[in-house]
Amino acid sequence: MTSRRLAALGISLLAVLALSACAGTPDAVGTGTASAPAASAAPTPVMTLAPFPMGPATSTTPLPSNLPQGCRDILTASVLQELDGVPLNAEGMGGGIRSDSTRVCVWGEPGAVGTRLVTLIGYAPDQSAHDALYALGNDGYTCYEPHGGIRCEKTWQSATLPVQEGRTLFYRDGVIVDTQYSNLAPAGYTDAIIDALWPPAGSVPRTPAPAPSPSATR
């Protein structure tokens, strides 16, 4: 083969390589529909919650029958106004009913890790609950006894974000209301839930007729 033909062949080969380098990976053969994106959306991060000893308890307090779908029903109009526009129990956020019958209300925009409010409402054994609350008191929580129960609360600065975080717990008659939040703390939130679960004398209940949970014993 002559040098001139070798040179021409070399030029043709370089051209083919150059075109191959510029071309993208071909899509799979379709069936008339758009191909799926190469990368799937990142899953919504779920807020890491501090534990509390949930379980069967002796209680005369049945939980509202429409929780967690009725997480709005246990709040007052003023609290709901502060939560206006904040999604409730968005997909992938962890809201729902746990295997131990604990109801979970999650307020927050999917993907907004720094702004979240999660409330767990369920039964807790009396001795275990009191031990846990006592331990929180020793850990810097302020604990006192309003509304016929025990309330412990604490706020702190986030270790990773410029926002305030906190936790408020209320225990009464075998039921724990455990709210953990980050950058979202509506005024009167816990008080509204307390009044919904244990309506003050003479008041009109805000929630539908309650139904006993299988995790409660009487």
Side-chain angles (χ1 to χ4, degrees):
M1 185 177 290
T2 65
S3 59
R4 181 174 299 178
R5 291 182 65 189
L6 286 173
L9 180 60
I11 292 172
S12 299
L13 181 59
L14 289 174
V16 171
L17 292 174
L19 288 172
S20 299
C22 293
T25 303
D27 292 335
V29 178
T31 58
T33 58
S35 58
S40 59
T44 300
V46 177
M47 184 176 179
T48 301
L49 299 176
F52 195 86
M54 303 290 195
T58 300
S59 176
T60 59
T61 302
L63 303 183
S65 59
N66 67 337
L67 286 177
Q69 294 83 0
C71 291
R72 287 185 174 86
D73 297 339
I74 58 177
L75 302 176
T76 60
S78 60
V79 173
L80 288 172
Q81 185 174 6
E82 292 192 59
L83 291 170
D84 185 41
V86 181
L88 169 63
N89 291 337
E91 185 177 358
M93 296 287 280
I97 302 179
R98 294 184 173 179
S99 59
D100 61 3
S101 84
T102 300
R103 275 66 166 168
V104 185
C105 301
V106 182
W107 296 86
E109 187 75 41
V113 185
T115 302
R116 196 77 54 88
L117 184 153
V118 182
T119 296
L120 288 76
I121 303 175
Y123 293 101
D126 190 71
Q127 188 60 56
S128 298
H130 279 85
D131 290 345
L133 294 170
Y134 180 80
L136 290 175
N138 288 334
D139 193 33
Y141 280 71
T142 299
C143 297
Y144 52 107
E145 299 183 13
H147 307 290
I150 302 173
R151 178 167 177 161
C152 293
E153 53 195 12
K154 180 181 178 181
T155 59
W156 58 87
Q157 189 69 25
S158 169
T160 58
L161 297 170
V163 299
Q164 189 177 68
E165 299 178 343
R167 185 182 186 189
T168 300
L169 306 96
F170 181 79
Y171 180 75
R172 174 176 168 178
D173 190 32
V175 174
I176 183 68
V177 178
D178 183 358
T179 297
Q180 302 178 44
Y181 59 89
S182 174
N183 197 38
L184 185 61
Y189 180 86
T190 297
D191 287 336
I193 297 176
I194 292 172
D195 286 346
L197 296 179
W198 297 279
S203 66
V204 178
R206 296 197 307 274
T207 60
S213 164
S215 288
T217 57
R218 299 185 180 186

